[in-house]
Amino acid sequence: MVKRTKTILAAAVTAAAAGCIAMPVSAEQAKVDIFQNKSEFAEQLQAAAELYMESHPDVTINVESVQGGDYSTSLNAKLLQEDGPEIFGAELTDMAGSFKDLLEDLSDQPWVDAMSDEIKSNCSVDGKVLAIPVSVEGYGLVYNKEIFEAAGIDASTLTSYDAIDEAFASLQEKIDNGELADQFPVLEAVEEYAAKETWLPGYHTVNVALQAELGDAPTALVTPEIELTYADGLKDLFDLLTKYTAYRDNLSMINAVDYATQIGGGLAIERVAVVQQGNWIAPEMQNIAPDVAEKLDILPIPLKGTTEDSIAVGVSVTWGVNANSSDVDKAAAKDFLNWLFQSDEGKQIVVNEMGCIPAFNNYDGIEITEPLSAAVKRYMDEGKTMGWTMSGWPSGFEPVSAAEFQAYLGGDMTWDECVEAVKNDWASLR
């Protein structure tokens, strides 16, 4: 396929790339394909693209969203095509590795000055900003406040592993005894854990231990081997996340639980009260169960013996611009990103429709009204956060480490064997 000719005036391209302005109508339509993996706000992003196109008739934006482990494989296939996506997900490992020559240098974009040095470090290689941070996100143990209140549990006291464990045990006992059945007729277990989704055990859960060992993503990027220093605490965390599920007597079944079952078929219908997730589930919860969405808050995700009162917060998604796209398309892609993340209209969409916590320091006056994002901001303000190291992990570590944890949960591997396998996975992939 032949790329569209570069018919727009060079001055207009430069101006559109430099700031959030409306691009003039060109002789040919600019095209921006967005390929991203946050299906939770796929509908909201599509609506934002349609709103942008209303005032930019010279631009066509196509949004394609893929959930979970299929994304990386699909993205690599798309990037091999001559007409690959203009905007796509790129983690720090990708920026420093296979995507380095595929990514446009975005250092001259206006939003760069609105990033902190810490956030910029997660988007930069060799001093060049190669991606825009889509969101700061946080995850922990998302819980239904109304269920906890009905069980007489004061969630404000749950700031340690033992306190959370004790509360979950008490809640499970009340569920089993039928004490909450009148108010919550389908409630059957405290938790649901979507072990089938590789990003849950192999990304978010294991990060709780790896952030304590490695510190931050740039450090992880240059670490040749891991020790899993906090393996004991990680085992305790896996136990906490699974022993109050409906499958606690046969954990092999938990490996069949996917995201849709955990959220739509679990938390949203109040079949369970707790899930390990983050504020990114808010748009989907608001779509399918707005009444339940308003009841949600976040408990800490405790690493026993170390950080027990905090949630994990970091730059979760970064998008790059395809350097191989035409100048017309790159200018349109940059202009859309500037509009979405820096215009007054876009900022409201990012925060209150996409459910993102802004990664920029110029969102003054934008109130976070969504409960889970507000909870993450509360933990940030209180300094009760742990970092994310995931964007610095070796490419492919998530699915292979997840397979080890799934083998452990399924009874096919001891914990010690699992730990050694995960350490070997890191070293061999690095």
Side-chain angles (χ1 to χ4, degrees):
M1 182 182 297
V2 179
K3 298 290 286 186
R4 285 171 310 284
T5 56
K6 306 169 186 177
T7 56
I8 197 166
L9 294 174
V13 172
T14 302
C20 183
I21 65 173
M23 292 176 58
V25 176
S26 61
E28 293 189 69
Q29 190 83 352
K31 182 254 332 173
V32 178
D33 289 340
I34 302 174
F35 188 67
Q36 64 94 29
N37 66 342
K38 294 298 288 183
S39 64
E40 297 89 347
F41 57 59
E43 292 182 11
Q44 291 77 9
L45 180 58
Q46 179 64 48
E50 291 171 0
L51 185 63
Y52 176 86
M53 287 188 287
E54 288 179 6
S55 58
H56 296 74
D58 54 328
V59 181
T60 298
I61 300 177
N62 306 300
V63 178
E64 185 176 356
S65 303
V66 174
Q67 175 67 43
D70 293 335
Y71 179 73
S72 180
T73 301
S74 300
L75 174 60
N76 286 326
K78 284 183 175 291
L79 291 174
L80 290 174
Q81 301 172 7
E82 187 176 357
D83 196 23
E86 278 64 46
I87 296 173
F88 56 90
E91 293 189 344
L92 187 60
T93 300
D94 302 319
M95 297 179 218
S98 59
F99 290 178
K100 190 173 183 179
D101 296 330
L102 289 173
L103 293 168
E104 180 83 352
D105 185 357
L106 302 176
S107 302
D108 64 346
Q109 293 300 291
W111 43 262
V112 170
D113 291 335
M115 293 192 297
S116 68
D117 290 341
E118 180 182 0
I119 288 177
K120 191 180 296 184
S121 71
N122 284 272
C123 305
S124 304
V125 174
D126 297 335
K128 295 180 180 180
V129 177
L130 298 180
I132 186 171
V134 174
S135 177
V136 172
E137 292 180 331
Y139 67 89
L141 304 182
V142 175
Y143 75 103
N144 185 314
K145 293 186 293 183
E146 192 172 279
I147 293 176
F148 274 59
E149 290 167 1
I153 298 171
D154 181 358
S156 68
T157 65
L158 306 184
T159 57
S160 69
Y161 182 99
D162 289 341
I164 295 171
D165 189 22
E166 183 178 342
F168 285 10
S170 174
L171 178 54
Q172 188 62 59
E173 183 179 6
K174 292 179 185 296
I175 294 171
D176 293 341
N177 290 341
E179 296 180 39
L180 305 176
D182 289 343
Q183 190 171 352
F184 304 99
V186 299
L187 183 63
E188 67 170 356
V190 173
E191 302 172 283
E192 186 74 283
Y193 186 73
K196 183 178 180 179
E197 306 290 356
T198 60
W199 53 271
L200 204 65
Y203 203 61
H204 289 167
T205 304
V206 69
N207 172 71
V208 176
L210 288 180
Q211 61 81 30
E213 178 177 343
L214 301 173
D216 56 25
T219 299
L221 187 64
V222 296
T223 299
E225 297 181 352
I226 56 173
E227 295 299 325
L228 269 182
T229 309
Y230 299 94
D232 290 345
L234 182 60
K235 181 181 184 300
D236 289 333
L237 179 56
F238 270 109
D239 289 348
L240 179 67
L241 293 170
T242 58
K243 68 182 179 179
Y244 300 111
T245 67
Y247 309 110
R248 54 191 175 274
D249 295 329
N250 184 7
L251 287 184
S252 64
M253 296 179 64
I254 213 166
N255 287 327
V257 178
D258 60 11
Y259 176 82
T261 302
Q262 183 190 42
I263 302 302
L267 190 66
I269 63 172
E270 297 183 320
R271 183 177 60 81
V272 298
V274 180
V275 296
Q276 184 206 299
Q277 285 292 349
N279 61 293
W280 55 81
I281 72 171
E284 183 168 355
M285 286 294 300
Q286 289 168 340
N287 283 340
I288 61 179
D291 56 330
V292 179
E294 293 302 312
K295 303 176 186 179
L296 302 180
D297 205 328
I298 308 179
L299 294 171
I301 183 165
L303 186 64
K304 193 172 184 178
T306 55
T307 305
E308 300 191 26
D309 63 350
S310 301
I311 65 171
V313 175
V315 178
S316 58
V317 181
T318 50
W319 290 344
V321 172
N322 194 336
N324 292 333
S325 293
S326 72
D327 287 352
V328 172
D329 294 348
K330 285 191 290 187
K334 294 173 187 178
D335 190 71
F336 172 71
L337 292 176
N338 276 312
W339 172 82
L340 181 61
F341 292 101
Q342 292 295 291
S343 73
D344 291 342
E345 190 173 36
K347 288 176 180 178
Q348 291 288 351
I349 293 170
V350 167
V351 173
N352 289 317
E353 295 183 33
M354 292 169 60
C356 298
I357 298 170
F360 306 96
N361 58 23
N362 59 355
Y363 274 57
D364 294 341
I366 305 296
E367 181 184 2
I368 298 177
T369 58
E370 188 281 307
L372 292 180
S373 295
V376 173
K377 186 65 164 57
R378 183 182 75 241
Y379 277 93
M380 293 170 66
D381 292 343
E382 294 174 355
K384 294 182 178 181
T385 64
M386 62 183 79
W388 291 30
T389 63
M390 293 93 84
S391 61
W393 294 357
S395 294
F397 181 69
E398 172 203 320
V400 296
S401 66
E404 317 295 9
F405 296 124
Q406 289 164 345
Y408 164 68
L409 293 172
D412 298 322
M413 186 181 286
T414 68
W415 179 249
D416 289 343
E417 290 170 340
C418 177
V419 169
E420 288 305 310
V422 170
K423 290 163 62 175
N424 291 335
D425 290 336
W426 179 289
S428 61
L429 289 168
R430 180 63 84 202

